[in-house]
């Protein structure tokens, strides 16, 4: 096989209190990356095609991940990556992480490399440094593994998949707001030190969230999907967030948080959530603020997978 | 009924990363409190008998709890509390909390008061202030509810019982070490501010611990039963702890932590744990340090309960 396509889903990191540790993959969007052995590019190890934006392999997240993967495995064959973006970028939906995850998976498969799940996360995470300045594993861990994950460790990488109760799915509100260098800016807003009381409060949230998502207890999810540390520091960037959250909870969302570094807002919903009420409430709030948006309903997604028949996709 | 006996079990607070939020009740020991309407004590609202130590109702943890309970319910009848201590005090086993929990439950039953579980925790917690200087809810929440609990909030009190997987039980090593004003001292050792990186690390531990205890995943329990914040600051008080922990994990304990403020050490064990090896390893470590000790195996305990036939107990 001299061509492989892999797809990886969008994800929401943090999920309230889980900064740098929790994320969930959802089937709202996906990226597809086709890796091809491409002798026509001569001595150039890696070229990137098929996307708008940044085709420089050394700073593109997928490119940087694949360059490290190829180098560590002593592969010198020329590779063309064709990236088909389905996940909108810069909106807190794990777009760069999914491209990296799909690229690493496709290239691993292309050369038959024995790369464990945790190693795939490691390589994909290296790419994240290109977009945020800091390698962080949460989004790529969700895209690689699928489902709900905890990043147990980043050095070495160790990720654990946790099973969310089947009653829960997601609704994401995606405001059309683009903040320049958003991910870097959002990381600078995060406090370096926090009072112990904030630790205790957030550790309570983590406990409630994990127990609630695993056990199917919507009251615990509601109590736990909060954050007095990171989300609190970033909220001023997104003046619509608090209004949306209150409205969504009143309309029966099980929990609401900023998706990753925002601006998207993700709600955990179940059969007690009034989706139509959430849709009309969102319209009321965001149209008054003159903010365009879209709403996407999604389910927990699987991990990165090889697409055997990409033409039929 | 003019006499009621209630019993409440020992507990281990913190469980690694859960300072002020997690605790588990175990049937290693219990306290029994008999509350009697006792006209012979005249105008004295509350007298305490049957125990060594502190019989002053205003500073005894059980007494302080009951005084608040009686006052808030407008009860002026004279009450005698007879406290039978089964839980050794000052060893991190929730002894004061269990007395308070049993006393509040016995007196509530004696006067037929409508007191919710959370209110029982609230009153019992007030008593804890007498022993530690700070009202904390973790031990009393475990003794009142039984099992594994998270203190979701202290003001107002809200406690949630979480179910531990049936494969797990406990083994507690109780060193014969008494540190004066231990609980207060231990609280002063806790840092007021922490770096965000410690939050992230401990939040990972909390996630692993909750998912592991609920899901029966011993590897997650092992990874999660750690604490870089509070336990790390207190460890110097207990030079035997690190040695015990390493030995116990090597002998197959699923997780090991300081029980509450120590000095007791509690291990989560299952059928892969070599209990005899843990016993002999403990003997080797503590006898070399000339520290007397006892070892108690226990299971998850139920909550505070009324003993209908205390004479047969």
């Amino acid at each position: 096989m001299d061509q492989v396509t892999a797809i990886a889903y969008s994800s929401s990191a943090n999920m309230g209190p889980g900064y740098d540790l929790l994320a969930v993959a959802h089937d709202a969007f996906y990226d597809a990356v086709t890796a091809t052995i491409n002798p026509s590019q001569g001595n150039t190890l890696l070229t990137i095609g098929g996307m708008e934006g940044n085709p420089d392999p050394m700073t593109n997240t997928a490119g940087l991940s694949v360059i490290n993967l190829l180098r560590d495995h002593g592969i010198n064959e020329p590779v063309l990556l064709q990236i088909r973006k389905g996940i909108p970028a810069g909106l807190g939906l794990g777009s760069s992480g999914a491209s990296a995850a799909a690229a690493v998976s496709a290239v691993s498969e292309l050369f038959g490399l024995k790369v464990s799940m945790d190693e795939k996360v490691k390589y994909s995470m290296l790419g994240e440094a290109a977009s945020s300045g800091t390698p962080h594993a949460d989004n790529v861990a969700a895209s690689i593994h699928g489902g709900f994950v905890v990043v147990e460790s980043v050095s070495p990488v160790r990720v654990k998949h946790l099973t969310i109760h089947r009653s829960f799915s997601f609704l994401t509100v995606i405001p059309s707001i683009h903040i320049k260098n958003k991910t870097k800016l959002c990381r600078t807003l995060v406090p370096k030190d926090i009072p112990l009381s904030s630790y205790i409060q957030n550790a309570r949230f983590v406990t409630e969230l994990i127990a609630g998502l695993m056990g199917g207890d919507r009251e615990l999810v509601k109590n736990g999907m909060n954050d007095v540390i990171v989300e609190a520091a970033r909220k001023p960037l997104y003046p619509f967030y608090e209004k949306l959250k209150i409205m969504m909870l009143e309309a029966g969302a099980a929990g609401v948080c900023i998706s990753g570094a925002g601006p998207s807002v993700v709600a955990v919903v179940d059969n007690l959530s009034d989706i139509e009420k959430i849709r009309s409430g969102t319209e009321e709030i965001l149209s008054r603020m003159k903010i365009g948006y879209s709403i996407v309903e999604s389910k927990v997604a699987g991990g990165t997978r090889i697409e055997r028949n990409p033409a039929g996709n």
Side-chain angles (χ1 to χ4, degrees), chain A residues 22-308:
Chain A
L22 298 179
V24 67
H26 36 55
D27 63 6
F29 306 100
Y30 66 89
D31 284 0
V33 175
T34 301
T36 311
I37 298 176
N38 181 34
S40 71
Q41 71 195 41
N43 282 332
T44 308
L45 184 62
L46 187 69
T47 56
I48 294 179
M51 70 177 293
E52 299 170 29
N54 178 11
D56 173 7
M58 290 308 291
T59 54
N60 174 284
T61 64
L64 201 58
S65 296
V66 168
I67 283 173
N68 279 280
L69 175 71
L70 292 173
R71 190 194 55 207
D72 287 359
H73 290 82
I75 293 172
N76 294 310
E77 292 184 71
V79 175
L80 167 66
L81 290 183
Q82 287 170 291
I83 303 176
R84 189 152 44 95
K85 292 295 297 177
I87 310 172
L91 297 170
L93 298 169
S95 176
S96 60
S99 291
V104 165
S105 297
V107 172
S108 298
E109 181 77 9
L110 182 65
F111 293 105
L113 307 179
K114 302 282 181 223
V115 184
S116 69
M117 299 286 267
D118 284 343
E119 284 176 308
K120 285 183 184 173
V121 173
K122 183 189 78 173
Y123 286 110
S124 305
M125 185 178 85
L126 290 174
E128 287 285 71
S131 72
S132 75
T134 319
H136 57 284
D138 40 15
N139 288 110
V140 294
S143 284
I144 293 280
H145 285 261
F148 183 54
V149 295
V150 55
V151 177
E152 295 190 81
S153 161
V154 287
S155 180
V157 168
R158 204 173 66 240
V159 173
K160 181 77 181 179
H161 175 271
L162 305 174
T163 301
I164 288 188
H165 195 269
R166 61 193 154 67
S167 61
F168 297 128
S169 60
F170 305 98
L171 184 146
T172 312
V173 174
I174 307 163
S176 309
I177 288 176
H178 282 273
I179 299 175
K180 211 184 161 191
N181 286 322
K182 182 206 64 175
T183 308
K184 282 183 190 169
L185 171 64
C186 278
R187 293 215 153 227
T188 63
L189 288 176
V190 173
K192 287 195 169 52
D193 294 288
I194 59 168
L196 184 73
S197 58
S198 294
Y199 167 69
I200 295 169
Q201 183 58 70
N202 256 40
R204 287 174 173 153
F205 292 153
V206 172
T207 302
E208 294 165 328
L209 181 66
I210 300 300
L213 287 176
M214 290 180 72
D217 185 324
R218 67 187 330 271
E219 193 66 23
L220 279 178
V221 171
K222 182 178 172 181
N223 295 342
M225 199 169 277
N226 288 295
D227 178 6
V228 295
I229 299 171
V230 175
E231 197 177 273
R234 289 171 170 178
K235 259 195 292 193
L237 281 179
Y238 306 123
F240 51 84
Y241 169 63
E242 202 65 39
K243 290 187 184 78
L244 280 180
K245 180 165 183 167
I246 291 168
M247 176 277 295
M248 287 170 156
L249 291 174
E250 283 176 357
V256 180
C257 65
I258 295 175
S259 179
S264 296
V265 174
V266 62
V268 174
V269 294
D270 62 10
N271 61 11
L272 294 178
S273 310
D274 186 338
I275 303 298
E276 285 316 305
K277 202 168 170 186
I278 291 176
R279 285 182 177 274
S280 62
T282 300
E283 168 63 21
E284 200 178 327
I285 290 167
L286 292 183
S287 69
R288 190 177 302 160
M289 300 176 82
K290 301 189 191 314
I291 298 171
Y293 68 94
S294 58
I295 293 185
V296 180
E297 291 179 63
S298 62
K299 297 202 184 324
V300 176
T304 302
R305 69 167 194 266
I306 303 301
E307 193 68 34
R308 293 290 164 193

